[in-house]
Amino acid sequence: MKFDLHTHHDRCGHAIGSMEDYIKAAVSYGLQAIGVSDHSPFFASQEDRAKPRIAMAKSEFSNYVQEVLKLKEIYQDQIEVLLGVESDFFPGQIGLYQRQFEKYPFDYIIGSVHYTGGMRSIFLKENWEGLSETDYLREKEAYYSLVQEAAKSKAFDILGHIDAIKARCPHFSQVKTDIVDQTLKMIADCDTVIEVNTSGKTKDCGGWYPAGEILERACFYGVKVTFGSDAHEPERVADDWEKVRQFLKNVGYKEWAIFRKRKRKFLPL
Ligand SMILES: [Zn+2]
Ligand SMILES: [Zn+2]
């Protein structure tokens, strides 16, 4: 079964194409299921739309859900449309986020760390320029500590792009620390699924999140996986799906997960 659980659309302010454009692309690429998983609004913000180029307004969230549910019906004979969301993870705000998500019939929630140290974006190159090796180590460990907290919160079905701190600063992959393995063990203990997210290829780091060697160790520790292209343009739906499937089989994985109504189901690779 061909599927993609991580897609965006123009509602977030930085993706191209409508929600329906992504569904049509998925149909044309032969997918049986597509998950719509746009960025969560900044629920804790005073403003309705705190960052117009990053995420939808708080007041738009119910319209988002209604559009997914409408397209789910319209396309039911062609493809299964799943209701997801890519939630930011801010420790301390998780209860607020969960209360928003509980109002709607989500199939799954992706939890992603996009900010460290409060509101410092991991995707801004200048945040990582000119650091000492000690700083890089500290920042990498701070990032993975947040990924661990996201797993421990049990608020998420899927953890998004777990080594994305490398996106605009590939050097992070070379910074040696045990925290990556500790994080994988913790994710396995929490029984949370990670995604193989193929959008690393659109950033400076290239390749996938997480990198192949991390996926091999994830398999060793028993971390379960799913697939997401993180498409911000319709053409990228299911990008590298077959390559990921082959890679996962080669490193020892037997199955990957999809979600309906927040219940996980494993499909053979
Ligand atoms: Zn995005
Ligand atoms: Zn993300």
Side-chain angles (χ1 to χ4, degrees):
M1 177 172 167
K2 194 169 178 182
F3 65 94
D4 183 348
L5 296 188
H6 193 153
T7 65
H8 296 277
H9 58 279
D10 53 12
R11 199 175 243 105
C12 65
H14 62 272
I16 296 162
S18 68
M19 190 187 290
E20 190 165 15
D21 292 336
Y22 288 75
I23 295 170
K24 283 181 181 161
V27 171
S28 75
Y29 295 158
L31 275 67
Q32 282 82 49
I34 178 165
V36 182
S37 60
D38 205 14
H39 297 283
S40 56
F42 291 94
F43 289 117
S45 169
Q46 297 296 319
E47 294 159 83
D48 188 37
R49 195 167 189 189
K51 293 175 182 287
R53 304 266 329 257
I54 306 274
M56 70 181 90
K58 290 189 282 184
S59 58
E60 182 62 17
F61 195 54
S62 63
N63 298 333
Y64 164 71
V65 171
Q66 292 319 314
E67 187 177 357
V68 179
L69 296 178
K70 192 182 86 190
L71 292 170
K72 188 196 245 316
E73 258 192 56
I74 292 173
Y75 281 87
Q76 60 183 336
D77 296 332
Q78 294 174 69
I79 193 167
E80 183 178 12
V81 176
L82 297 168
L83 173 60
V85 61
E86 183 185 17
S87 174
D88 280 312
F89 176 65
F90 296 114
Q93 298 177 13
I94 191 64
L96 170 66
Y97 278 66
Q98 282 180 298
R99 285 194 295 280
Q100 299 302 320
F101 299 147
E102 280 163 8
K103 294 180 189 169
Y104 305 104
F106 278 101
D107 289 304
Y108 61 91
I109 316 276
I110 303 172
S112 296
V113 176
H114 293 123
Y115 302 90
T116 58
M119 283 299 281
R120 191 176 35 171
S121 171
I122 62 164
F123 293 122
L124 271 186
K125 207 185 184 91
E126 56 262 38
N127 286 338
W128 308 128
E129 277 168 348
L131 303 189
S132 68
E133 282 311 300
T134 321
D135 292 337
Y136 281 121
L137 177 62
R138 192 188 59 239
E139 296 296 346
K140 181 169 179 172
E141 293 190 337
Y143 169 78
Y144 276 97
S145 299
L146 285 169
V147 175
Q148 291 185 13
E149 276 192 70
K152 275 191 285 186
S153 77
K154 305 272 182 108
F156 308 115
D157 304 292
I158 302 165
L159 296 174
H161 46 63
I162 61 161
D163 67 348
I165 195 170
K166 71 183 178 182
R168 296 299 185 193
C169 180
H171 177 66
F172 274 118
S173 301
Q174 264 66 65
V175 176
K176 295 255 176 298
T177 159
D178 287 339
I179 202 163
V180 180
D181 280 66
Q182 283 170 25
T183 304
L184 292 173
K185 278 185 233 175
M186 171 160 303
I187 295 170
D189 285 349
C190 296
D191 199 27
T192 309
V193 171
I194 63 168
E195 62 173 2
V196 184
N197 177 316
T198 55
S199 74
K201 66 196 290 186
T202 68
K203 300 281 185 359
D204 299 332
C205 58
W208 304 334
Y209 310 116
E213 63 264 26
I214 297 180
L215 279 173
E216 284 190 62
R217 300 212 296 283
C219 184
F220 172 76
Y221 291 122
V223 177
K224 316 222 169 39
V225 286
T226 187
F227 176 86
S229 66
D230 205 348
H232 283 71
E233 52 189 54
E235 297 71 32
R236 279 206 65 251
V237 168
D239 196 4
D240 277 352
W241 186 86
E242 182 56 25
K243 280 187 191 161
V244 171
R245 194 175 76 85
Q246 287 301 335
F247 182 87
L248 290 174
K249 279 170 77 162
N250 289 343
V251 301
Y253 275 103
K254 302 266 187 290
E255 56 189 16
W256 48 6
I258 65 158
F259 298 82
R260 294 183 183 98
K261 304 271 184 257
R262 307 208 63 185
K263 294 245 177 345
R264 168 169 100 178
K265 182 173 186 240
F266 287 100
L267 305 167
L269 274 162

